[in-house]
Amino acid sequence: MYRIQLSTKPKEREQKIIATIGKFDGLHLGHTELLGQLSQQARLNKSWRMLITFDVLPHEYFADKNGVLRASRIGLLRDKIAILQQSGLVDEVVILHFSEHMAKLKAQDFIDEILRNKLEISEMIVGHDFRFGYMAKGTISDLSSSGIKTSEFAELKHNKMRVSSSLIRKLASEQKIDLIRSYLGRNIRYTSRIVKGNQLARKWNFPTINLNLYKICPVLWGIYTSYVYIEGKRYLGVTNIGKNPTVSEGKVYKIETHLLDVDLDLYGKIATVEILHYLRPELKFEALEPLFKQMYKDLDDARDFFARLDNKE
């Protein structure tokens, strides 16, 4: 368990805690509405606002255990925390490690061991379909009957659609970037440390920065224009999200970005890649020459996109 305080003011000793719990993948407008209700309730009772989430999401844990492909994830944990900090809607984030022990905890044991004993929660707001504990048998009524005052958040509709992470994943599969932006309230972004790649692109005068996602399967897949933020500076980029099938065995998900008109030593630095516009799908080429020929065309398409963007502004 990791606890990250976002509030600039410390929690008072006798201050009660109101909490919510979930995957909060993507932190879309529905999540924001829930947190707004939590914050409003906290103001009435002068409570401490807590959000509980996971490092490995429960469905990812079970996918790994069963040896099947993980479902896609909208955002990374680092971005989730940054968005929460910017929102001002949460005082503290608690990150639970979803392990075999966590998976086998019965609902009542989860309430007693985690929510009451370790976190000392007195009130909660959760989604209407919230389930927890072993075999997902725990319900909202279990929380209430255990002495935790619990409120139910129904749903949020936007453009006559229920806002959900499932909806955003569907839109991502259709590359509907603008619609995704409307349901998230922002662009999808990925923040991680820049690692060394195979250096192949540099040999073709096409240097890239690489963010390794390891087992996390990104919800977006293909070639995109992007903004890249590194140490307070913004760069224009062309980003490949996928497995680089032409030059690798395709075992690890990667975010690989070429910065337009920039060639810097950035290894080890933290970068945020903000996805702006879909260019094309990721393709497997039979040789390197057609691959890099296509990549140079991607650069031309990206420059056209940014030129149009400048004209709009």
Side-chain angles (χ1 to χ4, degrees):
M1 177 187 295
Y2 300 93
R3 303 181 68 159
I4 303 172
Q5 181 175 317
L6 303 183
S7 174
T8 56
K9 296 180 180 179
K11 178 182 175 297
E12 297 176 8
R13 174 175 287 187
E14 301 300 325
Q15 191 174 11
K16 292 184 177 181
I17 297 174
I18 181 170
T20 186
I21 182 171
K23 293 178 284 190
F24 293 99
D25 190 20
L27 277 173
H28 52 64
L29 294 182
H31 295 142
T32 303
E33 181 71 16
L34 184 155
L35 293 176
Q37 290 187 17
L38 181 143
S39 196
Q40 183 178 25
Q41 188 63 30
R43 281 195 296 271
L44 292 175
N45 299 324
K46 297 181 180 180
S47 301
W48 182 258
R49 303 166 301 173
M50 178 183 289
L51 182 143
I52 306 166
T53 190
F54 306 91
D55 49 3
V56 177
L57 301 183
H59 68 267
E60 294 174 332
Y61 168 84
F62 290 113
D64 291 348
K65 186 175 181 181
N66 296 325
V68 299
L69 291 176
R70 289 183 174 193
S72 59
R73 195 195 290 195
I74 300 168
L76 306 181
L77 181 58
R78 190 190 296 264
D79 292 300
K80 186 185 299 185
I81 294 168
I83 293 166
L84 289 170
Q85 188 160 30
Q86 292 165 7
S87 75
L89 294 172
V90 175
D91 296 309
E92 182 179 6
V93 177
V94 175
I95 303 165
L96 301 179
H97 176 57
F98 201 90
S99 60
E100 184 176 1
H101 171 72
M102 184 72 66
K104 291 182 177 179
L105 269 184
K106 293 181 180 179
Q108 190 59 49
D109 293 333
F110 182 83
I111 292 171
D112 294 337
E113 181 179 324
I114 306 296
L115 301 182
R116 296 184 66 84
N117 294 342
K118 290 187 177 179
L119 298 177
E120 300 179 325
I121 292 166
S122 56
E123 185 176 356
M124 296 191 74
I125 297 179
V126 295
H128 71 285
D129 55 354
F130 177 66
R131 297 290 184 274
F132 66 102
Y134 180 65
M135 300 293 288
K137 291 184 177 180
T139 65
I140 292 173
S141 61
D142 291 319
L143 293 172
S144 298
S145 62
S146 297
I148 298 176
K149 181 182 176 182
T150 307
S151 303
E152 180 180 324
F153 175 77
E155 62 182 16
L156 175 71
K157 286 192 175 182
H158 181 68
N159 295 334
K160 298 181 180 180
M161 294 289 290
R162 176 178 176 265
V163 183
S164 68
S165 298
S166 298
L167 172 62
I168 293 168
R169 291 189 190 97
K170 180 178 183 297
L171 295 173
S173 71
E174 299 167 353
Q175 301 294 351
K176 294 180 178 178
I177 305 301
D178 290 341
L179 272 177
I180 291 172
R181 184 184 303 116
S182 73
Y183 287 109
L184 285 181
R186 75 190 80 83
N187 290 313
I188 286 181
R189 57 178 58 196
Y190 300 98
T191 302
S192 190
R193 192 173 300 278
I194 299 171
V195 298
K196 282 197 174 185
N198 56 22
Q199 305 289 299
L200 186 60
R202 182 170 292 277
K203 295 177 183 178
W204 286 73
N205 196 30
F206 206 98
T208 61
I209 61 170
N210 297 274
L211 307 183
N212 200 330
L213 299 178
Y214 301 99
K215 289 184 177 182
I216 294 174
C217 176
V219 71
L220 292 177
W221 201 288
I223 314 302
Y224 304 85
T225 57
S226 59
Y227 286 142
V228 182
Y229 303 89
I230 303 171
E231 295 185 336
K233 294 183 179 180
R234 189 181 78 176
Y235 303 93
L236 308 183
V238 180
T239 295
N240 176 33
I241 305 177
K243 290 189 174 182
N244 296 334
T246 305
V247 298
S248 71
E249 296 179 0
K251 293 182 178 180
V252 178
Y253 302 105
K254 298 177 181 178
I255 297 178
E256 189 171 7
T257 301
H258 173 75
L259 305 180
L260 272 61
D261 306 316
V262 174
D263 186 5
L264 301 170
D265 182 4
L266 299 169
Y267 296 124
K269 298 184 184 299
I270 300 296
T272 296
V273 177
E274 179 183 3
I275 303 303
L276 303 177
H277 174 72
Y278 175 67
L279 291 175
R280 64 171 177 87
E282 184 181 52
L283 303 171
K284 183 173 182 177
F285 296 86
E286 295 303 318
L288 291 180
E289 187 171 346
L291 166 63
F292 283 100
K293 184 178 180 180
Q294 177 62 57
M295 290 168 68
Y296 282 113
K297 182 182 183 302
D298 296 338
L299 286 187
D300 292 337
D301 293 341
R303 292 184 195 282
D304 288 343
F305 168 81
F306 285 116
R308 294 195 303 271
L309 202 61
D310 286 340
N311 290 333
K312 286 183 181 179
E313 294 176 353

